[in-house]
Amino acid sequence: MKMKNSVGQILEDNQDEYFCQFCTKPKIQSVPICSCSGSWFKLRDFDFDTQFSIAQQIFNSKKGVSDTKTD
């Protein structure tokens, strides 16, 4: 499935990128700490479910898909 391949590629390409341990927001340039006072973790240091969630968020943002769901 194309989406899985894209998300898989994002996972692979971003293993060394930093994200907040609490809110999983990506580290922006040289910001010393996240607003929720989390420490920065590399994507590879999160459990798989969290890694996949972060990769899905990146995928959605690149595709312009909103995280909000409507019924």
Side-chain angles (χ1 to χ4, degrees):
M1 187 174 180
K2 187 173 182 168
M3 186 175 111
K4 285 185 181 178
N5 291 335
S6 297
V7 171
Q9 188 64 46
I10 290 169
L11 277 169
E12 188 174 319
D13 292 346
N14 290 284
Q15 288 296 304
D16 292 324
E17 298 299 318
Y18 287 93
F19 296 85
C20 176
Q21 72 184 54
F22 295 116
C23 68
T24 67
K25 289 180 184 176
K27 182 176 182 181
I28 300 172
Q29 298 170 353
S30 61
V31 175
I33 196 162
C34 183
S35 62
C36 64
S37 299
S39 297
W40 299 113
F41 283 6
K42 286 187 177 183
L43 181 60
R44 75 172 93 225
D45 295 332
F46 288 97
D47 63 59
F48 179 76
D49 291 335
T50 305
Q51 288 182 26
F52 186 82
S53 176
I54 292 169
Q56 187 69 49
Q57 290 172 13
I58 294 169
F59 177 79
N60 288 345
S61 69
K62 288 183 178 186
K63 290 292 188 180
V65 176
S66 174
D67 287 338
T68 58
K69 294 180 180 178
T70 56
D71 292 328

